[in-house]
Amino acid sequence: MNKIDNLKKYTVKDRLKLDCGKEISNFPIAYETYGELNGEKNNGILIFHALTGDQFPYGKNPITNKEGWWSYALGPNKAIDTNKFFVISTNVIGGCMGSFGPSSIDPSTSKPYGSSFPVITINDMVNAQKFLLDYFKIKKLFAVIGGSMGGMQVLQFVSNFPNIAEVAIPIACTASHSAQNIALNELGRQAIMADKEWDDGKYLENGKSPSKGLAVARMAAHITYLSKKGLQEKFGRKLQERDALKFGFDADFQIESYLRYQGSVFVDRFDANSYLYITRAMDYFDLTKQFNGNLSDAFKGSKTKFFIISFTSDWLYPTTENREIVIALNAIGADVGFIEITSDKGHDSFLLDVPDFLNAVKNFLNNSYKNIHETRI
Amino acid sequence: MKQEFKIISSLIEENSKILDVGCGNGELMKYILENISNNIRGLEISKKNVQDCIEKGLTVIEGNAELDLGQFPDKSFNYVILSQTLQAFLNPEKVLYELLRVGRKAIVTIPNFGHWKIRIDLLFKGTMPVTENLPNEWYNTPNLHMCTIKDFVTFCSQRELKLTKSISLSGKKVSYIKKNNLSYKNLTSELGIFEIEK
């Protein structure tokens, strides 16, 4: 835990009223920045992470010692070029990489909040992150970018703060979490809560760890991030370090071994209660309903330039759902571009080395910045 | 730049709002953006072309004109451009009405199947014409509904669609198409360029 205590944090003094009705204040937001803010303060980009991401998209994560989750897309001369842009990345509230979350200590009991942590929403996450912009004295952001749950935050951010971001790139996301996605999240939550070690969410104070449940949740979720074709090509029916089937329940197949590995490494870096809270926030996300069934109203009067990106093999946040956002924006004459990238890598495509995707982001960002800030002298 | 694009651009008033349907690699959009109006966007079906447009800094939506025009509100553009694509749609009539719903004016260009070279090909060679504007063979052409300039003019007048400008392009030669020269222009034009209002 000490290592996490040492991460960069900003403590929000203000009160934040959450959607659940509770109020929080004096809470930490863990963050990281890349690149430099220019004199005009017009090159700021806020990026939002997905369900299991954190504030470390680039470089070595000091806690996990692994490469950042967006190392293909972000860095010097990359799609999100840190030589040009000042990138702010935060850990969402509810998370477990230093921001206010269920593993934070409740000062009134001196124990981790666990399941007494308030239920948070995408709206709450975005409102909390806005305080950090005030801390950096950034009035206008050049861009807000995120994939998956990060994309939902992009949509919510632009809706809540219509005049702050000049461009917005929601990637592989939706404006309204589908029944299928709620079902898949529920599967993960039930796996965690069925683990006796979860202990009604009090595992931290009781020295337990629901790692089996969390691993199963991760395994199930991991399948949804890939595509059938991608899995078939990578694993097929290949056997794991054996020549024949063993007629038992060991990991005979490579895919089984791969999933088990994914589950086991995940539990070392992620908090089970955070998984419950963040998936819940995703399920509750319904920007369309928030605007009484008319998604266009979420963006009314917005001067933001939108660029929406989906992937052909993403069945978790399919192109049709991304297109709904495009349609809503066109209905109000907003400035919106859209591309569906061809990729066999499923929902995870936005995190991987998919050149068509990375080029589109790079070209869009660089051209937009040039058009907005460099041409009009 | 293509002569066709120069003529299209000359029809557009400054600072108007424009949608280029089937905008291709964005050549025309870029010219209009830099010279006439910065309020232009494209709809394009080919992913490669969409990428090219993004590289040029253009606003483009990947989509199919036959399915995706419905999302634009009535009269949300001053001009909707459709360059040499009408003949490739399953239902060109429906697309044309959609163009005139979302745009106050439509600028439509069509490769003229009535051009004398095409007629000669069919008459003397007895084979389906292959020309510069229509480079495909019969078995791989995307053009499902070829028409002549005369066909198109008749089509519009039957539906009381106003052709506010009718221009003929033959090589580099530009001329107006009028009632009294229609048959002649139908023989000599490679391309017809029409500004249409409903």
Side-chain angles (χ1 to χ4, degrees), chain A residues 305 307 312 323 326-327 330-331 333-342 356-357 359-360 363-364 367 371, chain B residues 17 33 38 41-43 47 50-51 53-64 68 71-73 76-77:
Chain A
K305 187 177 169 65
F307 184 36
T312 48
R323 262 192 191 281
V326 180
I327 291 168
N330 273 326
D335 187 341
V336 54
F338 165 72
I339 189 167
E340 181 198 51
I341 303 286
T342 304
D356 281 349
F357 163 64
N359 283 335
N363 284 327
F364 177 78
N367 281 320
N371 288 338
Chain B
K17 194 171 177 190
L33 182 79
N38 63 11
R41 64 196 61 187
L43 181 69
K47 291 181 196 295
V50 172
Q51 289 278 11
C53 289
I54 296 164
E55 202 176 325
K56 290 188 174 87
L58 301 165
T59 297
V60 60
I61 294 169
E62 184 185 329
N64 179 339
D68 295 322
Q71 63 191 276
F72 297 100
S76 46
F77 297 93

Side-chain angles (χ1 to χ4, degrees), chain A residues 144-215:
Chain A
V144 283
I145 311 174
S148 195
M149 186 184 83
M152 300 177 206
Q153 292 173 76
V154 169
L155 299 175
Q156 187 77 60
F157 184 93
V158 176
S159 178
N160 289 11
F161 312 107
N163 296 314
I164 290 185
E166 286 165 328
V167 308
I169 314 183
I171 303 159
C173 71
T174 183
S176 174
H177 222 228
S178 68
Q180 176 176 272
N181 284 4
I182 296 170
L184 290 164
N185 277 347
E186 172 63 359
L187 173 69
R189 286 190 294 266
Q190 286 299 333
I192 291 167
M193 294 189 286
D195 187 331
K196 275 192 180 146
E197 294 269 305
W198 180 62
D199 204 4
D200 286 330
K202 295 195 179 91
Y203 54 88
L204 283 177
E205 57 182 280
N206 296 335
K208 298 177 180 176
S209 168
S211 50
K212 282 187 180 148
L214 183 59

Side-chain angles (χ1 to χ4, degrees), chain A residues 272-313:
Chain A
N273 281 332
S274 276
Y275 198 89
L276 300 182
Y277 277 93
I278 298 175
T279 54
R280 205 69 189 133
M282 294 166 81
D283 293 346
Y284 281 2
F285 184 65
D286 188 351
L287 198 55
T288 311
K289 191 177 168 225
Q290 210 181 313
F291 286 86
N292 301 316
N294 188 352
L295 181 59
S296 297
D297 286 349
F299 310 109
K300 214 155 214 174
S302 175
K303 295 220 166 16
T304 299
K305 187 177 169 65
F306 290 84
F307 184 36
I308 287 141
I309 306 174
S310 71
F311 298 93
T312 48
S313 57

